[in-house]
Amino acid sequence: MGIPRDQVLEDVSAKLDGRPGQYPVSKNRVESPPVIPQAKLASLEDRSKVYESLLSKLSLAPDHRENLLQRGLTDEAIQRLGYKSTPVIGYHALAQSLIDEGHNLFGIPGFYRDEDGRWTMAVYRRGILIPGRYHGKIQGFQIRLDKKMKKGGKFLTFSSTDKLDGVQGENWCHLVGPVREQILLIEGYMKADIVNHFTGQTVLAIPGVTSLNHLERALHDLTSLGVRHVMTCFDMDYLKNWHVEHAYCNLIELLAKQNLTFGTYLWAPDYNGLDDYIWEFCLNKGNLPK
């Protein structure tokens, strides 16, 4: 015989702690994290003004300058590109100096208010601050870290996600050089700058091969301005890394939907990046005979 229905209902009701229609509260219940107010992303115009002013207040450390010189950049190119070292102290003072100049930091990725309500910067690791520009205006920054993270690579986006009045830095595209009929598409802001420096070619960069969020929008814009052909030149590890290869296939699918033609540059796999290949193999690290 089964258990009488009335008995079942009575037993269940007893387990509800005398509150019909309520489930018992677990002692191990995990509380939801508090909602931290986030800012609305500022316009490109406003972001660029703040970032240009920030760069004017920073300097480039000697070891960072030497690193860039070893990659084939010149002092003139480094100055023109605006590379600076991330500050190691004085975050509040830097933020306040921007405010004193009349800038509003609300909605600027990388800035947020601390527990005392003071504006500060989300810089946690030392590295080189690399501007990502589009039609001359700074969209945001990548940071090339001095030391690789245990989980992740050597590049971070300057962002203040999940901070009070902070805002996420996004995977914006970086365009270096004038708009031409043919452009190169590469991974990494710094690589784009270096390849443009070596070749004079116009280069469009995304932060990573999986960072396609803003690429389609940029391609629509650039095709309307006359771009007709794209040559991809991503690091050669996509030939042996299935994860990168899969992302590359997604990229090809995206390009196939655009109103343009495209192809792929290949080079000796011993040189992972196109910048490495040109500098070490083609230019012999600047030691070509006169």
Side-chain angles (χ1 to χ4, degrees), residues 49-81:
K49 288 178 180 179
V50 171
Y51 290 148
E52 290 284 9
S53 183
L54 174 63
L55 290 177
S56 71
K57 304 176 190 307
L58 301 177
S59 60
L60 185 65
D63 61 319
H64 286 159
R65 180 175 298 278
E66 182 60 27
N67 180 287
L68 295 169
L69 292 173
Q70 289 295 320
R71 294 172 181 274
L73 292 175
T74 61
D75 283 318
E76 183 278 329
I78 294 169
Q79 177 70 25
R80 172 173 47 82
L81 292 169

Side-chain angles (χ1 to χ4, degrees), residues 41 47 51 109 131-134 138-143 155-159 161 167-175 185-189 204-219 254:
L41 181 67
R47 297 199 309 272
Y51 290 148
R133 301 177 186 271
Y134 196 71
I138 301 179
Q139 301 243 51
F141 293 109
Q142 272 195 321
I143 301 174
F155 290 87
L156 281 178
T157 299
F158 186 48
S159 178
T161 311
V167 62
Q168 180 179 358
E170 301 182 18
N171 294 322
W172 290 294
C173 295
H174 170 50
L175 180 67
L185 180 61
I186 203 167
E187 175 187 359
Y189 296 172
L204 180 67
I206 54 179
V209 70
T210 61
S211 307
L212 305 182
N213 296 352
H214 292 272
L215 177 58
E216 186 169 11
R217 187 183 308 167
L219 289 174
L254 188 155

Side-chain angles (χ1 to χ4, degrees), residues 236-253:
M236 295 297 287
D237 59 1
Y238 85 88
L239 295 175
K240 53 187 178 182
N241 185 323
W242 72 267
H243 178 71
V244 176
E245 181 183 8
H246 177 71
Y248 183 76
C249 290
N250 291 336
L251 169 66
I252 295 302
E253 289 181 7

Side-chain angles (χ1 to χ4, degrees), residues 61-283:
D63 61 319
H64 286 159
R65 180 175 298 278
E66 182 60 27
N67 180 287
L68 295 169
L69 292 173
Q70 289 295 320
R71 294 172 181 274
L73 292 175
T74 61
D75 283 318
E76 183 278 329
I78 294 169
Q79 177 70 25
R80 172 173 47 82
L81 292 169
Y83 288 3
K84 297 294 176 70
S85 298
T86 55
V88 294
I89 58 173
Y91 305 134
H92 291 101
L94 280 168
Q96 188 58 51
S97 67
L98 293 169
I99 294 171
D100 292 342
E101 290 180 353
H103 296 292
N104 184 359
L105 301 185
F106 196 82
I108 307 296
F111 292 91
Y112 68 97
R113 291 194 297 122
D114 64 14
E115 56 189 15
D116 296 323
R118 296 189 300 166
W119 283 98
T120 186
M121 298 172 60
V123 177
Y124 311 109
R125 296 169 179 264
R126 186 175 183 269
I128 302 174
L129 205 58
I130 307 166
R133 301 177 186 271
Y134 196 71
H135 296 310
K137 292 183 171 59
I138 301 179
Q139 301 243 51
F141 293 109
Q142 272 195 321
I143 301 174
R144 185 189 183 278
L145 304 174
D146 292 351
K147 296 181 180 180
K148 185 177 180 180
M149 296 177 291
K150 291 183 179 180
K151 293 184 179 180
K154 293 202 72 170
F155 290 87
L156 281 178
T157 299
F158 186 48
S159 178
S160 47
T161 311
D162 296 331
K163 299 293 185 181
L164 178 61
D165 289 336
V167 62
Q168 180 179 358
E170 301 182 18
N171 294 322
W172 290 294
C173 295
H174 170 50
L175 180 67
V176 53
V179 176
R180 294 189 172 104
E181 187 171 332
Q182 174 175 298
I183 64 172
L184 307 183
L185 180 61
I186 203 167
E187 175 187 359
Y189 296 172
M190 182 182 287
K191 286 182 184 293
D193 289 335
I194 294 174
V195 170
N196 171 263
H197 174 69
F198 288 156
T199 68
Q201 296 292 309
T202 297
V203 188
L204 180 67
I206 54 179
V209 70
T210 61
S211 307
L212 305 182
N213 296 352
H214 292 272
L215 177 58
E216 186 169 11
R217 187 183 308 167
L219 289 174
H220 284 165
D221 173 52
L222 293 173
T223 53
S224 71
L225 296 175
V227 172
R228 295 292 176 265
H229 187 70
V230 173
M231 290 297 295
T232 66
C233 43
F234 289 94
D235 289 355
M236 295 297 287
D237 59 1
Y238 85 88
L239 295 175
K240 53 187 178 182
N241 185 323
W242 72 267
H243 178 71
V244 176
E245 181 183 8
H246 177 71
Y248 183 76
C249 290
N250 291 336
L251 169 66
I252 295 302
E253 289 181 7
L254 188 155
L255 290 173
K257 298 176 182 177
Q258 310 308 311
N259 185 27
L260 47 76
T261 57
F262 61 92
T264 299
Y265 278 133
L266 299 174
W267 53 91
D270 292 343
Y271 306 93
N272 190 41
L274 181 58
D275 54 334
D276 301 326
Y277 175 70
I278 296 174
W279 180 231
E280 296 187 29
F281 184 76
C282 300
L283 298 181

